[in-house]
Amino acid sequence: MKKRLYLELENCIGCRSCLAACTQCGGHEERNRNYVYDVNPLVNRQTMPLMCLHCVNPACARSCPAQAIQIHETGAVLSALVEKCIGCQNCTIACPYGIPKFDTEQNLMYKCDLCIDRSKDGIPPMCASVCPTNTLQWLTDEEIEAKQKQFNLDNGKWVTSMPYLEGETNVRVNLPGILQGVTKLF
Amino acid sequence: MESTISTTKKPGLTVNDAFASHFAKSMFLTVAGLAILTFIGTRMFTHIDLNLYGYMVGTIVFIGGFFYRFIAWGERPPTKIFIKKGLKLLFRKSTPKTTTEQLVTYRFIWERGVYRWMQHILIGWGCVLACLVTFPLVFSWMYFTMKENGYYTIVLFGMNVMNVKAEGIIAWFSYNALNIAAIMVIAGVCMVLYRRLKNMQARAEQTFMYDFLPLYLLLFISITGLLLTFQNMVLHGWMQPQMSLIHQFSVIVTLIYLPFGKLAHIPFRPMSVFARNYREHYSEQHMKECKVCGDQFVSVEQSSDVIQVLGVNDIEFNMNDGFNLAELCLPCRRKYRISRFSGVATHQVKVKEANQNANG
């Protein structure tokens, strides 16, 4: 059963568990590859996570001169292959969301690979498995559809993946309730 | 692209027009160059070691595969830019230092891990040493003659370079260079195999064909090569001719496979020198300022190159707010995304991004 990472942005409480969990994934060498941002830091405490959304047509891979960024059969856009990455940093400039990180010493780009050693076997990525508020979830397409019905918004913009992103992505992001004035009951 | 360029030039007058394709031209020039060097090296084809002719054919097939793969790779828009500008910037002051760090001492691999670096040094330099001995012998650019009993003359490109004692230290290193290389490669490959068997991440990601096959090929070459020496020294040459064919087979198969699998990163690695030169040169010239915070984050050249490359792939990130996403520095780009999600202009708030590294 194919599952996707699914983000419900307004649930985030800024605990940064996802960052800590990311460092603990096998191939991540204790460096996290995701971000948590204050939405309006001088006004309120709302935070939102930001991670690689695994574009269907990834700009990072398209701009890579060394073909170091491979796309896994599950749709995950992998971190640079260590033997191929030549350290040009094209991917960091190309990514519309500013996700890839670069290590100057190692001459190597690294980015979220959806914990491919886990997710290829259907195990949720580290971030999703620790998130305490269900901001990050690991769901099948049917479950995501059920979520959509549950909140029952009729403006057709429930999933932000297209209108608020630059292209189709494998990770699904929902439109925050805050923006729509909807109060969620947990 | 190609056709629009060629119509502006006078047709039929350049050297390129003599060849059907880029591939044909590279192939012709390389094989011709090899033939000329061999002609000189063998004193007009009088000293060819026909025992090694299989390697010669194998090398030429390898060159064909190499150009096929390299030219196909170089045609990708981002690669093309780096090759073109990298060649132009090849003679920078920093090039020797960069080249040494990237291609000789593998400093960046040291930063990735000492164990990793060690296996690379052993395999990499073992293979280079082996190639430096093998190819001159195959094309007879180097051979040994004995005029005087007990002394070898080393002939390099048809010139008598030096006389060495047949029992001397230089001669010993010449006979055993390939054995030393084989031991280095075997040690390195064993280190790699040990890591691949123990490291959980490696175990999750590796595949037999991509990650193990090249290692087994290297091991196959080194062991059959060492066996040749063993048969000579201990078994009085028993089965040596057969083993020499097996060894030859292993080398030729690896050579032909080299441009297509994991080992392809060897011929492609010099690109990292190009990339470093490109980044250094253009950031000295003019840096791009972030459209939101004004920080200089990348060279103007690279920013516009990336925008152009994405354009070739029909990817446009021009925003309604009047900028291309490639014109924002990375933190601003991330904040801009948050602002798109939330409707709050996060990227305009002059607050540094909160702790993004889970270091506690």
Side-chain angles (χ1 to χ4, degrees):
Chain A
M1 181 70 73
K2 185 179 161 49
K3 292 192 173 189
R4 296 173 186 282
L5 186 62
Y6 160 80
L7 313 185
E8 256 174 46
L9 293 172
E10 76 266 38
N11 292 0
C12 181
I13 55 171
C15 68
R16 288 170 173 73
S17 299
C18 47
L19 304 194
C22 187
T23 64
Q24 295 306 307
C25 183
H28 291 190
E29 294 182 338
E30 303 190 0
R31 293 183 299 192
N32 63 296
R33 294 147 186 231
N34 42 12
Y35 306 86
V36 173
Y37 274 93
D38 294 316
V39 173
N40 202 356
L42 303 178
V43 177
N44 58 37
R45 301 298 299 155
Q46 178 67 48
T47 54
M48 284 182 187
L50 186 64
M51 43 250 319
C52 178
L53 300 172
H54 297 273
C55 304
V56 171
N57 184 15
C60 55
R62 295 279 176 220
S63 69
C64 177
Q67 289 176 314
I69 304 171
Q70 306 259 315
I71 300 159
H72 193 261
E73 59 198 29
T74 59
V77 181
L78 301 181
S79 189
L81 288 175
V82 288
E83 81 271 13
K84 281 191 182 170
C85 179
I86 58 169
C88 69
Q89 301 179 39
N90 261 5
C91 47
T92 61
I93 308 304
C95 175
Y97 314 120
I99 300 297
K101 295 185 170 189
F102 189 78
D103 187 315
T104 328
E105 253 81 63
Q106 300 188 358
N107 205 28
L108 179 66
M109 172 281 250
Y110 58 102
K111 67 175 276 298
C112 167
D113 55 1
L114 261 187
C115 299
I116 194 63
D117 53 330
R118 298 164 62 87
S119 61
K120 79 170 166 25
D121 296 326
I123 308 169
M126 293 298 269
C127 52
S129 56
V130 299
C131 181
T133 58
N134 278 351
T135 307
L136 306 161
Q137 303 181 38
W138 185 244
L139 303 178
T140 61
D141 282 345
E142 291 79 54
E143 285 168 324
I144 293 174
E145 215 168 296
K147 288 255 174 204
Q148 188 163 4
K149 289 204 182 100
Q150 182 191 341
F151 290 100
N152 196 24
L153 298 169
D154 53 4
N155 60 5
K157 284 183 178 176
W158 184 80
V159 169
T160 63
S161 292
M162 275 315 283
Y164 293 88
L165 298 176
E166 302 313 320
E168 202 187 328
T169 59
N170 280 305
V171 175
R172 293 280 187 258
V173 186
N174 83 339
L175 190 69
I178 321 159
L179 192 57
Q180 302 176 330
V182 176
T183 310
K184 258 204 225 172
L185 299 171
F186 288 102
Chain B
M1 197 77 176
E2 284 298 319
S3 60
T4 51
I5 293 167
S6 60
T7 46
T8 55
K9 271 191 290 185
K10 254 188 203 173
L13 288 177
T14 59
V15 182
N16 290 338
D17 294 312
F19 298 99
S21 65
H22 197 164
F23 176 78
K25 182 183 155 199
S26 311
M27 204 56 202
F28 174 80
L29 291 179
T30 316
V31 175
L34 278 178
I36 291 168
L37 284 178
T38 309
F39 178 77
I40 300 168
T42 56
R43 296 191 177 159
M44 300 189 236
F45 301 129
T46 55
H47 287 86
I48 297 175
D49 188 351
L50 281 179
N51 193 28
L52 302 177
Y53 90 98
Y55 294 101
M56 216 182 284
V57 178
T59 310
I60 287 165
V61 177
F62 157 73
I63 292 169
F66 170 73
F67 279 129
Y68 171 79
R69 174 86 164 84
F70 197 89
I71 290 169
W73 183 66
E75 279 300 311
R76 305 176 70 249
T79 323
K80 207 168 188 170
I81 288 176
F82 273 95
I83 293 178
K84 227 167 149 187
K85 297 190 174 169
L87 284 175
K88 243 196 308 187
L89 300 174
L90 199 56
F91 297 104
R92 277 173 60 79
K93 243 191 229 154
S94 61
T95 304
K97 185 169 175 275
T98 315
T99 312
T100 313
E101 282 184 359
Q102 304 271 340
L103 305 179
V104 180
T105 61
Y106 309 146
R107 195 196 159 115
F108 59 102
I109 306 182
W110 174 273
E111 305 288 348
R112 292 176 194 179
V114 180
Y115 188 87
R116 220 194 176 96
W117 175 82
M118 194 67 213
Q119 62 196 27
H120 250 96
I121 285 281
L122 285 173
I123 299 180
W125 280 103
C127 289
V128 169
L129 178 62
C131 289
L132 285 180
V133 176
T134 306
F135 290 104
L137 288 178
V138 167
F139 292 101
S140 302
W141 298 335
M142 178 178 78
Y143 56 85
F144 299 84
T145 56
M146 186 177 274
K147 246 186 211 154
E148 215 184 312
N149 226 356
Y151 283 88
Y152 274 118
T153 308
I154 299 179
V155 184
L156 201 65
F157 285 109
M159 294 173 290
N160 295 344
V161 178
M162 59 173 147
N163 282 316
V164 294
K165 239 190 195 158
E167 312 265 297
I169 183 84
I170 299 176
W172 187 88
F173 273 110
S174 314
Y175 312 146
N176 287 296
L178 286 175
N179 293 333
I180 297 168
I183 291 167
M184 283 171 74
V185 171
I186 290 174
V189 169
C190 289
M191 285 175 79
V192 176
L193 286 176
Y194 181 76
R195 188 187 78 90
R196 289 205 168 275
L197 292 178
K198 288 285 174 194
N199 184 299
M200 294 310 265
Q201 177 70 16
R203 279 166 62 169
E205 288 177 347
Q206 67 206 3
T207 56
F208 177 80
M209 291 309 260
Y210 189 72
D211 297 297
F212 280 103
L213 188 68
L215 291 174
Y216 289 139
L217 282 172
L218 289 178
L219 211 54
F220 186 25
I221 294 177
S222 311
I223 289 177
T224 50
L226 270 186
L227 273 179
L228 281 173
T229 308
F230 179 77
Q231 287 166 325
N232 268 347
M233 314 265 283
V234 183
L235 304 178
H236 309 287
W238 178 75
M239 290 283 276
Q240 217 254 10
Q242 289 84 342
M243 187 54 74
S244 126
L245 275 183
I246 295 174
H247 180 66
Q248 198 167 76
F249 171 79
S250 71
V251 174
I252 291 170
V253 166
T254 310
L255 268 183
I256 294 173
Y257 165 73
L258 191 142
F260 300 101
K262 193 170 197 177
L263 298 174
H265 76 272
I266 304 163
F268 294 169
R269 196 72 223 177
M271 277 287 288
S272 66
V273 178
F274 288 12
R276 177 62 65 85
N277 278 356
Y278 170 93
R279 281 189 64 84
E280 281 176 0
H281 176 80
Y282 290 112
S283 31
E284 281 162 16
Q285 295 214 319
H286 201 48
M287 287 297 275
K288 183 112 198 156
E289 281 169 10
C290 170
K291 278 278 167 78
V292 173
C293 66
D295 279 356
Q296 299 185 330
F297 69 104
V298 71
S299 62
V300 173
E301 186 83 11
Q302 187 169 11
S303 170
S304 54
D305 277 347
V306 170
I307 293 174
Q308 188 240 318
V309 162
L310 291 181
V312 174
N313 284 296
D314 287 328
I315 303 178
E316 300 271 356
F317 293 137
N318 290 319
M319 297 293 109
N320 294 332
D321 309 55
F323 49 77
N324 189 298
L325 280 177
E327 294 177 313
L328 298 191
C329 73
L330 303 187
C332 285
R333 217 181 296 175
R334 295 190 282 262
K335 288 184 192 164
Y336 177 73
R337 187 54 42 188
I338 296 292
S339 85
R340 296 270 291 162
F341 287 150
S342 64
V344 177
T346 311
H347 57 298
Q348 305 288 9
V349 182
K350 297 260 178 278
V351 173
K352 215 174 146 253
E353 53 179 6
N355 177 26
Q356 296 298 344
N357 296 307
N359 296 331

